[in-house]
Amino acid sequence: MTADMTNSNKDYLRNVDGGLRRAHLFDEIATATFYIVSGAFVLLLIAFTLYVVWGGVQAISPEIFSFSETGIGNQFFNTVYLVFLSLVISVPIGIAAGVYMAEYAPEGRVTNSLRIAIETLSSLPSIVVGLFGYLVFIIMVNTQWNLFSGALAVSILSLPLITTTTYDAFKALPIGWKHGSLALGATHWETIWHVMLPASVGPIMTGIILAAGRGFGEAAALLYTAGMSTDINWSVWDITSPVCPLNPFRPGETLSLQVWASRTEATSASAGDVAAAASAVLMIMVLVFSIGARLLSRHLAKKSEGENA
Amino acid sequence: MYNDSVIGVAAAEADMPIRSNLSFTCSHVNLYYGSFQALKDINLKIERNKITALIGPSGCGKSTFLRTLNRMNDLVPGCRVEGEIMLDGVDAYKDVDPIVLRRHVGMVFQQPNPFPKSIYDNVAYGPRLKGITKKSELDEIVETSLRQAAIWDELKDRLKKSALGLSGGQQQRLCIARALAVNPEVLLMDEATSALDPISTAHIEDLALELKKKYTVIMVTHNMQQAKRIADRTAFFYLGEMVEYGDTEQIFDHPQEERTIRYVSGNFG
Ligand SMILES: Nc1ncnc2c1ncn2[C@@H]1O[C@H](COP(=O)(O)OP(=O)(O)OP(=O)(O)O)[C@@H](O)[C@H]1O
Ligand SMILES: [Mg+2]
């Protein structure tokens, strides 16, 4: 037997049988399919972005970028401010809720019912959230449409995203990290703060990007909360004034609402151009925010993880 | 947050009773994971300034026993400990805060578990928890600890690099350094050298011999030669029971129990 094997041409090593050949073929087909599908998605995204941005470029005029009735400047500012406000509300609460669910809530009944509640919340149609916001933040408080109510409505939509990404990130951490920290005499909170949260920065940032995306793109939830008008006077910096840009308790139409309004109830001749430009700006904002957040998260991760070996 | 814990440690040290030559005294310790009994009536006195080896077949409860000593089993849902474990005459389960206990009883895990941080930050983690923030002081602790764990020369030029990029054996020695950085009085090592090459293993064994001058070392090992080489006392565990406990020479050369005889002679089946 041994003599036979040393003397032969080692054909048993060179031989590939039919079953293995089929498996290889299948492997290659599967790989190709995945490449094609993901390539198609990337192409679709690029084509869509270019289409929208090109439309915007053609509509460009100094008038459109102005901070006036017919421009999109004020709406641009309102969008940034609203997203900022909604993140200020939803990021701390969402992360705290996710950490609570992953680390403190008793396993089983409590976490399960919380999960169901959060999943229901995340699948609510945004118009329903908008009407809820209108009832609670506007009618019950007896006030006018304002940015802050809009930010609250968007927060209702984005909270579940941040909570679930935080929860999932914590649950995916190797248990050895937690045990290693506790065995060094760290408290549970010290372990969360110094080890688990820094290790979860990447996934949590994904949740924040998704949450911000909701804020940038949301229209239905803002119709009756942030309102469809904006009246800003850029020379008034008294925050209590209803025309001060930084007053969150003034009506604040955002870009996506403006797109919707210009396309549906256009009153001026340039409405089409306004919609195109606003769409393009919105798209670029979302891209810039996503890339910026990714870079920030990579920087934070590097700072806490140390450089790659 | 940091300051509180420092006060906690200082208070615990001030309260320490006069030291006997005993470190841990376990009486009638039973441990259950749910309804499964993993430790059965363990009675064991672990001596200060000695190396105690725990041997026994896989699944016999060595790691479980080690984890009762620093109360890491508290974290396992459904885990229940009965009996009494005294550390320096203080009941480790009734009279000591687990956080304080773990600062005095350090642990190196069976699987290396460095944090996703730089090598430096891994070692400095424990000292920082105790409130040490001075760079020079931390630098010194990091260097000393890494030297003790026989890994300083390999790592001194890449302290800022991620610990996750190290090899398994390097990670394990880093974890040893991390445990040493908080100056524990007792060091629990769960097969700390099973992933190491003979040279690093020899370093760690030398370290254990060095450490026992000041501290107490309790180590789980599957390596009989290692137990013979460095352990003063050896305990043989089998199916959750502690079958035999005595001086290492006695356990290996003149075991009393039938099961010990078979295990140390390699005729276990
Ligand atoms: N968290 C747990 N939940 C339930 N059972 C457990 C748990 N941890 C350990 N056990 C059981 O307790 C027994 C002892 O396990 P332990 O890990 O202490 O063994 P060991 O002696 O360290 O083995 P090895 O040499 O393989 O590391 C085993 O039967 C194991 O299945
Ligand atoms: Mg074990």
Side-chain angles (χ1 to χ4, degrees), chain B residues 63 110 190-191:
Chain B
S63 298
Q110 194 164 354
D190 198 342
E191 290 181 52

Side-chain angles (χ1 to χ4, degrees), chain A:
Chain A
M1 175 75 187
T2 26
D4 200 42
M5 268 161 67
T6 40
N7 291 338
S8 77
N9 292 327
K10 302 259 166 77
D11 279 344
Y12 68 100
L13 283 178
R14 295 202 176 89
N15 182 37
V16 176
D17 65 40
L20 185 54
R21 201 166 294 142
R22 265 195 304 282
H24 276 310
L25 184 67
F26 186 78
D27 197 32
E28 274 157 30
I29 293 175
T31 312
T33 314
F34 286 125
Y35 268 111
I36 292 169
V37 171
S38 47
F41 268 113
V42 173
L43 273 182
L44 193 68
L45 178 70
I46 293 175
F48 187 68
T49 313
L50 287 180
Y51 174 76
V52 173
V53 172
W54 181 239
V57 169
Q58 284 179 317
I60 279 182
S61 67
E63 170 71 10
I64 279 185
F65 285 111
S66 70
F67 289 83
S68 70
E69 277 296 304
T70 50
I72 63 172
N74 288 337
Q75 283 79 2
F76 172 81
F77 176 77
N78 286 342
T79 308
V80 174
Y81 198 26
L82 182 120
V83 168
F84 170 76
L85 286 175
S86 79
L87 289 182
V88 164
I89 298 165
S90 60
V91 169
I93 300 179
I95 293 179
V99 170
Y100 170 77
M101 277 176 63
E103 287 296 313
Y104 292 100
E107 201 65 47
R109 262 238 223 99
V110 178
T111 15
N112 283 345
S113 39
L114 274 173
R115 259 213 104 93
I116 292 173
I118 286 168
E119 269 155 23
T120 314
L121 200 58
S122 68
S123 52
L124 276 186
S126 50
I127 184 71
V128 174
V129 173
L131 289 172
F132 169 82
Y134 178 61
L135 278 178
V136 177
F137 309 140
I138 308 289
I139 307 254
M140 276 172 67
V141 183
N142 194 14
T143 179
Q144 57 161 347
W145 291 329
N146 64 77
L147 261 179
F148 188 72
S149 304
L152 283 174
V154 169
S155 297
I156 294 179
L157 293 166
S158 56
L159 255 177
L161 293 170
I162 298 177
T163 306
T164 39
T165 44
T166 306
Y167 175 84
D168 292 342
F170 264 59
K171 284 293 179 189
L173 295 176
I175 193 75
W177 292 350
K178 181 176 171 182
H179 287 177
S181 170
L182 292 170
L184 285 166
T187 61
H188 193 179
W189 173 249
E190 285 167 337
T191 301
I192 291 171
W193 185 249
H194 295 298
V195 177
M196 304 178 83
L197 266 178
S200 308
V201 161
I204 292 177
M205 196 58 92
T206 306
I208 294 176
I209 291 173
L210 292 173
R214 287 227 71 152
F216 284 121
E218 193 50 56
L222 297 177
L223 266 179
Y224 301 110
T225 50
M228 294 276 286
S229 61
T230 187
D231 184 15
I232 297 179
N233 184 337
W234 285 91
S235 52
V236 177
W237 292 100
D238 167 16
I239 198 147
T240 54
S241 153
V243 291
C244 169
L246 290 178
N247 183 352
F249 296 103
R250 60 171 173 82
E253 185 187 41
T254 63
L255 281 173
S256 47
L257 275 178
Q258 191 183 23
V259 172
W260 184 75
S262 334
R263 284 287 184 214
T264 53
E265 43 195 59
T267 45
S268 74
S270 63
D273 286 350
V274 167
S279 309
V281 168
L282 198 50
M283 192 122 214
I284 291 168
M285 275 170 84
V286 172
L287 277 178
V288 167
F289 181 86
S290 301
I291 294 170
R294 276 275 154 252
L295 290 179
L296 176 69
S297 118
R298 204 174 301 169
H299 172 75
L300 289 176
K302 197 171 245 171
K303 226 172 85 179
S304 96
E305 261 173 45
E307 301 147 30
N308 293 331

Side-chain angles (χ1 to χ4, degrees), chain B residues 58-59 61-64 67 110 190-191 220 222:
Chain B
S58 191
K62 307 179 296 292
S63 298
T64 300
R67 284 197 301 265
Q110 194 164 354
D190 198 342
E191 290 181 52
V220 170
H222 280 297

Side-chain angles (χ1 to χ4, degrees), chain B residues 194-211:
Chain B
S194 61
L196 301 187
D197 63 277
I199 296 174
S200 325
T201 302
H203 278 305
I204 300 304
E205 289 179 5
D206 289 344
L207 166 69
L209 290 170
E210 183 62 33
L211 285 177

